[in-house]
Amino acid sequence: MHFRHILHALGRHRIAVGLLVLEIAFSCAVVCNALFLIGARLERMQRPTGVDEAHLVEVGVRSVMRGSPEAVMAQTRTDLAALRALPGVSDTAIVNQTLFGHSMSFSGVRLRDDTKAPSIPVTQYLGSESLGRTLGLKLSAGRWFKPDEFVSDAKLENGSSGVPVIISRALADHLFPGRSAVGQTIYAFGANRVVGVVKRLVQPLDYGPPGNYGYAMMFPVDMPYPNGTYLLRVKDTAQRQAIIGEALHALKTDGPLRLVSSKYATTLEAARDKYYRNDRAMAWLLVGVCLLLLVVTAVGIVGLTSFWVAQRRRQIGIRRAIGATRADILAYFHVENFLIATGGIVLGMGLTYGLNLLLMLHYELGRLPLYYLPVGAVALWLLGQLAVLGPALRASNVPPVVATRSA
């Protein structure tokens, strides 16, 4: 292969070659960063929560006429018993916030009883005795709450109760690296002794740095139903919708005047699906942008190569007449395209990191991992070789006699 001849031919079409190199470089920068963004979205959507989402449904009840605190708590216990008695329900609980919901509760956690000490925001789940069991959480150290440790939310809020706490493994490793968290004391609602650590429990919503997503804590609180949401753990996932209907019927037929609606009832999987709807839409949009750019780049390569084939028919005919085979002509155009694509990819690597720095600066995006660069380079090389194949085959079919006719 005479590279010198190829480079000489490209040098006679500097403007066209330069535009194609810029197009490939731009495609390389956008495709690499788009793939990185798509990967980040998919990773975010697939994060585990530590909760048995497949077997959970949630039902919210809005109070219309509030009674005394004692009456509300009595009704909450009645509701829990009625829901637990439904066929197909293995456990029930009430909690102050739900995963993928509309709000999040959190407190600043410190390791010293000093309001000026450094603190981190940690989400807090307040719930009934069976909350951990209903959520399907796994205890990795310590124990669950005892029945006599449960307090009212008002008593928890005053900060003087010494209520125990269960924390997530991620929070335990952050606060007490290299040692057991069980038996230690943290300061959130006064002094709270850690009695247990669950393997994983996360924030209900994305808030703060990504590393804080796994920081969570649970407190033993008797939640009144107007301030919480009922959780039902079902035995058969195929019965979730049927159980939601039965739960709404049970709550409507037993209790004071209150708002019980299917609008406030859903499966946890449906809640997750709704929460990440925008992330999925963004990922598909980026896929569309990548495909469009690659198609435009391929069309540019096909158009330019087809033009060169038509322009070089006499030259090709002469080369065939002096002994060049069809494979030689085919290889010529593939090598020519490879050199153009390589120039575009080399320039595109710089543009890729420049675009990534811009996104990091304005959109808090992470640094682009290096392995995206070879992925983008291979994709563009393959695209170039496929795009040039058709025009190159037409060129290889040019007969030697063309040289004579064109003379």
Side-chain angles (χ1 to χ4, degrees), residues 31-45:
V31 169
C32 286
N33 279 284
L35 289 176
F36 176 48
L37 285 170
I38 292 170
R41 296 278 173 174
L42 292 178
E43 183 180 353
R44 172 181 140 91
M45 289 189 289

Side-chain angles (χ1 to χ4, degrees), residues 294-363:
L294 293 176
V295 168
V296 169
T297 303
V299 169
I301 293 171
V302 170
L304 187 61
T305 309
S306 297
F307 172 73
W308 284 344
V309 168
Q311 195 180 44
R312 299 173 184 171
R313 280 181 65 83
R314 182 171 177 271
Q315 177 190 351
I316 296 169
I318 293 174
R319 291 196 60 196
R320 291 296 310 276
I322 61 176
T325 64
R326 292 181 58 190
D328 291 333
I329 302 300
L330 199 64
Y332 177 91
F333 282 96
H334 277 291
V335 171
E336 185 180 68
N337 176 267
F338 181 81
L339 293 176
I340 295 173
T342 300
I345 289 168
V346 170
L347 179 60
M349 298 294 176
L351 288 178
T352 299
Y353 264 98
L355 181 58
N356 178 242
L357 289 175
L358 195 65
L359 293 172
M360 288 173 61
L361 184 64
H362 294 284
Y363 299 101

Side-chain angles (χ1 to χ4, degrees), residues 55-58 79-94 128-136 230-235 243:
H55 291 85
L56 281 178
V57 300
E58 55 190 52
D79 289 343
L80 287 171
L83 295 173
R84 194 176 297 115
L86 293 175
V89 175
S90 61
D91 235 320
T92 60
I94 184 168
S128 53
E129 184 181 353
S130 57
L131 178 60
R133 196 169 57 241
T134 303
L135 291 174
Y230 291 122
L231 297 176
L232 289 78
R233 184 177 175 85
V234 304
K235 297 175 183 175
I243 288 175

Side-chain angles (χ1 to χ4, degrees), residues 17-27 344 347 351:
V17 171
L19 290 175
L20 191 55
V21 166
L22 287 177
E23 184 178 359
I24 293 173
F26 180 73
S27 297
L347 179 60
L351 288 178

Side-chain angles (χ1 to χ4, degrees), residues 58-65 75 79 82-83 86 225-226 228-230 232 243-266:
E58 55 190 52
V59 181
V61 178
R62 302 296 181 266
S63 177
V64 176
M65 299 179 63
Q75 183 60 50
D79 289 343
L83 295 173
L86 293 175
Y225 75 84
T229 300
Y230 291 122
L232 289 78
I243 288 175
I244 286 177
E246 294 173 8
L248 292 173
H249 178 73
L251 293 170
K252 285 178 181 176
T253 55
D254 184 16
L257 179 61
R258 51 188 177 166
L259 183 57
V260 180
S261 169
S262 58
K263 180 181 176 182
Y264 307 119
T266 184

